[in-house]
Amino acid sequence: MITLEMQEKIQQGFQEEIEETKLLDCMRCGFCLPACPTYVHSNYDETQSPRGRIALMKAVRDGDIPFDGSVEESIDLCLGCRACEPACPAGVEYGSLLESARNVIQRETNAPVKEKAARKVAFDYLFQNQSAMEKVTSFVKFYQRSGLQTLTRKMGILSFFPSTMREMEKVIPKIEKSNVKKGMVYEGKSKKTKVAFFTGCLMDTMFAKTNEATINVLQELGCDVWVPENQVCCGALQGHSGELEKARENAKVNLQQFLAEDVDYIVNNAGGCGAFLSEYDHLLKDEDYALLEQAKQFSSKSIDITQLVYELGITKETLTSKQQSPVTVTYQDSCHLRNVSRVQDAPREILKAINNVYYVELEGSDHCCGSAGIYNLSQPEMSMKILDDKMEYVNETQAQILITTNPGCLLQMKLGIEREGLSDHMEAMHLIDFIDDYIL
C-alpha cells in the first residue's frame, strides 16, 4: 500500500533527482509511439508509451497527481529498451529519466518481503561478487550433469513452477568451466592493438565458451587481450532496477581495474553491458572531478566486440564458412547495442561478408525480443506477448541460425525457438560463437 508519506517522499525525490528540463524536452510529438513495444502490445495505451510515462513523471513531480499503483505499474512495465531514443527528434534522454524514477520509487516504497529478499540476493550477493555467481552456475552444472535434471523432468517437479521458469530451464546452456584466466594478457597473432576485455558476470559463467571465442577472435585479428583481474559486474541490472548506488559502486571498482594499464579499447561481448559501460560518465556525473574524468576516459574506450571486429577489417578478408552446404542466418538486434551504443550495421556486414552464408533480414529486428534483463521473469505476460510476435517474423526467414549479441537476448531467442517447436532445425547463437565455429 502506498501511503501519503510515501507519496510525498516520491514527489520530493522526483523533484531532486529528475531534471525538469529533461522532462520538458519531450514535445509530445508521438514519434516514439510505434517504436515502443509496450505501447503496441497494450492496445495502444498511452500510459504505456514513453511520452505517457514522461507525462506521469512530470505530473507526480509537479504534484498534479499523487503517485499510486497505476503510475508504478506504468514505470514497472517499461522494458527499458530505449527504442524511443533514436526515434525522438528532440533527443529526449528517456533512459536517464526512467532510471532516476525507478531509483526514487525503489528507495521510498515498501516492496513485498519476497521482492526484498530477491533483490538482496541478486544485488548484494550475486552481482556484487563474481565468486557467488560462479557458485550458482556450479550448482546448475551439477544439476545438468548429475542426472538430477533428467530425474526432475521425469518426475514432473517442474510443473510446480511458473510456466516461464519451466521453459527457461529447457534453454539454459550447458555450463562449461571457464578457461579464461583473469590477470593475463593473451597475445595476438600480429600487433595491431591492445585491448582490455570486460568478461561480464553471466558471460564469464553461463556463457564461458563465448568469452573464450571472443579472445580467440581478437587474437586472430591481431589484438593483445588483457583481462583485468578484479573486475566486477558492470552494474546494468542494478541501474535498470532502481539500485543506482549499487551500480555506482561497481562502476568505481571497474574504473580502478581497467584504467590501471593503457589500452586502446575496453571491449565487451554483451550489448546490455556495453551500453551501460559506455555511460559510466553519466552514471558518475555527480562525483568529484577526478573520478568523472576517469569515467569519461573509460566510456570513450568502451566498444562492443562486433564493432571492433568490423573496424579491425574482418570483412576485408575472404571469409568462407566451414560448412560445405550453404547456411541461412538472420539477426536480432540487442536493444541496447542498437539504441544506446548505436551499433547496427557492423554485425550485419560481417554476416553478409561470409561466403556460403545466406543472410536474411529479420522484419522487426530493431524491436525488443522481450528479454530486457530480468523483465521476462518480472513481467512474464508482456514478455511472452512480445516474444511470440517476434517469432512469427523469425519463422518467415526460414533461417537455420538466429544470431544475436547479448546473453539475455540469446536466452530469450532460444526460448522462442523452443516455444515454437523449431529446435530440430533452428538454433540461436552469439555472433562471436558463429565466427569462431563457422569461420576460424
Side-chain angles (χ1 to χ4, degrees):
M1 179 181 176
I2 300 172
T3 65
L4 180 60
E5 183 182 5
M6 286 180 195
Q7 290 174 345
E8 292 174 349
K9 286 184 176 180
I10 289 169
Q11 181 186 357
Q12 183 180 351
F14 276 22
Q15 291 171 347
E16 293 172 353
E17 298 189 29
I18 299 179
E19 297 178 35
E20 186 175 27
T21 52
K22 289 185 177 181
L23 292 170
L24 293 174
D25 284 340
C26 178
M27 304 182 297
R28 312 290 190 265
C29 66
F31 278 88
C32 62
L33 298 181
C36 177
T38 54
Y39 173 73
V40 172
H41 288 87
S42 62
N43 295 320
Y44 308 104
D45 181 351
E46 183 73 23
T47 63
Q48 304 303 342
S49 72
R51 74 175 181 184
R53 291 183 176 106
I54 289 172
L56 289 174
M57 291 178 204
K58 188 174 187 308
V60 170
R61 189 184 189 279
D62 294 346
D64 294 333
I65 64 170
F67 180 85
D68 60 15
S70 63
V71 178
E72 186 172 20
E73 180 186 7
S74 175
I75 300 297
D76 284 347
L77 200 61
C78 179
L79 289 146
C81 68
R82 295 172 66 172
C84 51
E85 291 186 8
C88 178
V92 174
E93 296 178 24
Y94 179 79
S96 171
L97 293 170
L98 179 67
E99 286 179 358
S100 296
R102 284 179 170 171
N103 191 53
V104 173
I105 294 166
Q106 169 59 26
R107 187 181 66 227
E108 303 298 350
T109 56
N110 291 325
V113 174
K114 285 184 180 179
E115 182 182 335
K116 283 184 178 179
R119 280 179 170 271
K120 187 164 185 64
V121 169
F123 300 135
D124 292 351
Y125 182 63
L126 270 183
F127 297 106
Q128 202 71 16
N129 184 345
Q130 188 65 6
S131 63
M133 183 71 73
E134 290 168 2
K135 288 176 183 176
V136 170
T137 50
S138 293
F139 172 77
V140 176
K141 182 179 179 181
F142 172 78
Y143 171 74
Q144 290 176 334
R145 300 191 179 188
S146 64
L148 187 59
Q149 184 177 50
T150 303
L151 182 64
T152 299
R153 290 176 176 178
K154 282 184 177 179
M155 294 179 65
I157 294 173
L158 292 171
S159 64
F160 294 100
F161 291 85
S163 60
T164 305
M165 292 187 69
R166 292 198 303 271
E167 292 170 334
M168 288 299 293
E169 188 268 351
K170 296 178 183 178
V171 300
I172 292 174
K174 185 178 179 181
I175 304 299
E176 303 283 355
K177 181 181 178 182
S178 175
N179 293 315
V180 175
K181 304 297 182 185
K182 303 283 180 65
M184 279 191 62
V185 175
Y186 294 84
E187 293 187 0
K189 290 192 173 181
S190 60
K191 299 294 180 183
K192 287 185 180 178
T193 188
K194 181 178 181 180
V195 304
F197 177 38
F198 180 80
T199 59
C201 41
L202 278 180
M203 296 305 298
D204 198 35
T205 50
M206 193 173 291
F207 298 95
K209 290 302 175 184
T210 307
N211 274 2
E212 292 177 26
T214 299
I215 291 175
N216 185 42
V217 170
L218 288 170
Q219 287 178 291
E220 288 285 337
L221 291 172
C223 295
D224 285 345
V225 185
W226 169 51
V227 187
E229 186 170 6
N230 296 312
Q231 57 180 289
V232 296
C233 169
C234 66
L237 285 178
Q238 296 93 317
H240 300 330
S241 302
E243 301 277 359
L244 283 176
E245 195 50 48
K246 290 183 173 66
R248 293 186 185 105
E249 290 171 11
N250 282 26
K252 291 172 186 177
V253 173
N254 283 329
L255 292 184
Q256 185 178 21
Q257 296 302 313
F258 280 86
L259 298 180
E261 291 190 21
D262 185 34
V263 295
D264 299 301
Y265 299 100
I266 298 170
V267 61
N268 70 87
N269 57 11
C273 297
F276 203 75
L277 295 171
S278 70
E279 293 188 330
Y280 270 6
D281 52 344
H282 170 75
L283 180 68
L284 300 173
K285 62 183 174 59
D286 295 325
E287 301 291 338
D288 63 69
Y289 176 80
L291 192 61
L292 180 55
E293 287 303 302
Q294 288 182 332
K296 289 178 179 178
Q297 183 184 355
F298 182 100
S299 294
S300 68
K301 291 185 176 185
S302 182
I303 191 170
D304 180 76
I305 180 65
T306 56
Q307 183 66 36
L308 180 58
V309 165
Y310 179 74
E311 290 182 9
L312 290 172
I314 193 172
T315 57
K316 295 177 182 177
E317 303 174 17
T318 301
L319 303 174
T320 303
S321 170
K322 295 175 185 176
Q323 298 288 338
Q324 292 183 349
S325 57
V327 60
T328 301
V329 304
T330 191
Y331 176 72
Q332 166 62 29
D333 287 279
S334 154
C335 288
H336 285 88
L337 182 61
R338 182 186 181 100
N339 300 326
V340 182
S341 301
R342 303 299 169 98
V343 175
Q344 54 182 305
D345 294 333
R348 291 172 167 83
E349 292 304 314
I350 292 170
L351 291 170
K352 290 175 183 178
I354 306 170
N355 294 329
N356 231 19
V357 168
Y358 177 57
Y359 175 75
V360 180
E361 183 66 25
L362 172 63
E363 186 176 349
S365 60
D366 56 337
H367 285 199
C368 186
C369 65
S371 171
I374 57 172
Y375 187 90
N376 52 6
L377 297 177
S378 63
Q379 301 286 346
E381 184 179 350
M382 179 60 75
S383 176
M384 292 305 104
K385 273 186 184 180
I386 293 169
L387 177 60
D388 290 344
D389 278 4
K390 173 72 63 179
M391 292 309 298
E392 288 185 20
Y393 295 119
V394 171
N395 263 317
E396 291 173 4
T397 68
Q398 297 186 344
Q400 295 155 276
I401 301 176
L402 174 57
I403 304 285
T404 189
T405 48
N406 185 63
C409 302
L410 185 56
L411 286 175
Q412 185 81 339
M413 299 320 298
K414 284 177 179 286
L415 177 59
I417 291 170
E418 182 71 26
R419 283 168 66 91
E420 290 292 312
L422 302 174
S423 53
D424 59 335
H425 61 272
M426 181 186 289
E427 63 177 318
M429 292 184 73
H430 192 290
L431 177 59
I432 294 302
D433 287 320
F434 182 75
I435 293 173
D436 195 48
D437 289 354
Y438 282 74
I439 302 171
L440 300 183

